[in-house]
Amino acid sequence: MKRLLFVWGACCALLLLACSPKQELKPIRSGEIWPDNQGVHVNAHGGCILYHEGTYYWYGENKSDTTSNAMVGIMCYSSKNLTDWTNEGVALPVEMTDTTSDIIQGCIMERPKVIYNERTRKFVMWFHLELKGQGYLAARSAVAESDTPTGPFRYIGSGRINPGKLPFDMTEEQRALLDTLNVEQYEWDTPAWKEAVVKGLFLKRDLEGGQMARDMQLFVDDDGKAYHIFASEENFTLHIAELSDDFLSHTGKYVRVAPSGSNEAPAIFKKADGTYWMITSGCTGWVPNEARMFSAPSIWGPWTQHPNPCVGPKAELTFGGQSTFVLPIPGKQDAFLFMADIWRPEHPSDARYIWLPIQFKADGTPVVEWMDSWTMEYFN
Ligand code: DGJ
């Protein structure tokens, strides 16, 4: 009798499950207002998404209505499905009173990225920091750490990168060439100057104090090693630098990518075949430009440039946006979400988001095609 009742109960449960309406997946409409759980447009720009224990955490710059300077800090939102976002508050607040702090209100905090360190079990945040009142001159990177994904993160410090170190793959010949370079000797924007930039004019200038670091990305490879990718050398050249085991500093090992290529906004991902792909932008401030794309067989290169991966209306302007991050979809092979920002410098908090799935051509080259509306079903 007991067994019969059990079978009857199981049948009813199955029937209920089959008849219950399937939860509709919400559409993703790039460029529109994306309300959070309080009905307010998500305020997490230039950000990234971290997937941790079944939850997505979206970190980004809190932009105010009138200035792009940091008035609040770095925000965190959480979601189980990438479309319903709960505001978890400020993960790293700006400092309100201590004027000696690097992150005093009014500084510039851009493109925060958060990664999880399996060894230390800490969440590590790096971001581009500009000191208050100094425009974009400081060109520093800053680091903070937290025990929990939503923070609050503990601010650790900031600085230029890899002082005293030259790229590990620079030949003796290339190193010797540095001796011939002197910043004072060139007129900006001349062919001779450009050639000198490729040879390492700014690399040499900043060798002692550390390399400049503006737009940035973090990447954790399959072996647990983490890398910091940033626009260096006056935004002319990207650097890819290895982070220490705790992710809180740099080991001194790095390479230059596309010297004098003027790349910003690096977003990197790795396919199952081991190829690294990187989408970047040109350097035109808040104004959109044409995306670039690179690939490499190793994080250390050599990096080869490919044509713009974007397809569709305004593809030559990255659909009006600028790359920010590529999220690997958990549990799926070679499934990636491309994220970009549509900046609104005259009303920064109204900046919008572009999220599109990355598609692949038959030869494996990534393509980002505009879609007015799509759902996460795409990845199934
Ligand atoms: C372009 C960068 O990608 C942004 O993060 C920001 O630094 C703007 N430049 C500032 O003009």
Side-chain angles (χ1 to χ4, degrees), residues 229-283:
I229 301 117
F230 50 93
S232 191
E233 303 179 35
E234 301 284 359
N235 281 2
F236 285 109
T237 301
L238 289 170
H239 287 189
I240 298 184
E242 188 182 67
L243 292 179
S244 55
D245 284 349
D246 59 9
F247 299 173
L248 297 178
S249 61
H250 296 79
T251 63
K253 183 175 182 181
Y254 73 101
V255 289
R256 302 168 81 211
V257 177
S260 176
S262 294
N263 287 280
E264 280 192 323
I268 190 168
F269 60 104
K270 185 184 183 183
K271 283 184 75 183
D273 67 3
T275 310
Y276 296 77
W277 290 91
M278 180 160 61
I279 299 177
T280 68
S281 75
C283 296

Side-chain angles (χ1 to χ4, degrees), residues 53-228:
E53 293 180 351
T55 302
Y56 297 94
Y57 297 93
W58 179 356
Y59 303 89
E61 306 159 28
N62 177 297
K63 295 255 185 216
S64 80
D65 294 341
T66 53
T67 170
S68 292
N69 292 6
M71 305 309 285
V72 172
I74 307 301
M75 299 297 293
C76 178
Y77 291 79
S78 69
S79 173
K80 291 283 184 194
N81 57 13
L82 288 168
T83 47
D84 296 292
W85 290 98
T86 299
N87 185 343
E88 298 286 355
V90 189
L92 176 67
V94 292
E95 168 61 41
M96 299 302 284
T97 49
D98 176 7
T99 53
T100 65
S101 167
D102 299 346
I103 57 167
I104 183 75
Q105 189 183 46
C107 68
I108 293 173
M109 294 162 97
E110 286 182 353
R111 297 186 176 267
K113 305 289 175 255
V114 176
I115 50 180
Y116 179 65
N117 190 309
E118 300 275 357
R119 292 186 199 92
T120 61
R121 301 196 175 172
K122 304 268 189 215
F123 297 83
V124 178
M125 176 192 290
W126 283 88
F127 59 96
H128 166 202
L129 174 75
E130 297 292 348
L131 301 176
K132 186 175 178 178
Q134 297 186 24
Y136 280 85
L137 274 181
R140 289 191 189 190
S141 291
V143 62
E145 190 181 49
S146 170
D147 297 331
T148 59
T150 52
F153 281 70
R154 185 174 57 86
Y155 180 68
I156 296 175
S158 76
R160 292 270 180 103
I161 312 292
N162 287 327
K165 304 279 183 199
L166 285 173
F168 83 92
D169 60 343
M170 235 181 159
T171 62
E172 279 311 316
E173 220 178 9
Q174 289 168 327
R175 284 168 197 246
L177 273 183
L178 293 178
D179 294 336
T180 67
L181 308 174
N182 179 0
V183 187
E184 267 90 66
Q185 135 200 356
Y186 296 97
E187 202 183 309
W188 195 277
D189 252 351
T190 57
W193 169 86
K194 194 165 162 109
E195 204 181 301
V197 173
V198 175
K199 287 179 185 162
L201 185 68
F202 298 117
L203 189 74
K204 178 186 174 186
R205 183 197 66 186
D206 296 334
L207 186 58
E208 204 182 315
Q211 301 298 323
M212 301 174 92
R214 294 201 182 110
D215 279 14
M216 56 149 284
Q217 190 59 249
L218 296 180
F219 177 73
V220 182
D221 213 333
D222 306 328
D223 60 2
K225 276 205 175 301
Y227 300 89
H228 183 196

Side-chain angles (χ1 to χ4, degrees), residues 358-375:
I358 295 187
Q359 305 179 43
F360 294 99
K361 290 188 196 165
D363 69 357
T365 310
V367 173
V368 183
E369 188 179 6
W370 176 262
M371 297 181 197
D372 289 336
S373 176
W374 63 285
T375 71

Side-chain angles (χ1 to χ4, degrees), residues 317-361:
L317 290 178
T318 320
F319 319 115
Q322 189 183 25
S323 44
T324 288
F325 189 70
V326 173
L327 172 71
I329 301 297
K332 312 254 176 211
Q333 182 169 309
D334 288 342
F336 302 96
L337 172 61
F338 171 75
M339 296 167 57
D341 297 278
I342 301 176
W343 303 116
R344 295 264 161 91
E346 62 300 330
H347 187 174
S349 61
D350 191 36
R352 307 293 171 90
Y353 309 102
I354 296 174
W355 285 14
L356 294 166
I358 295 187
Q359 305 179 43
F360 294 99
K361 290 188 196 165

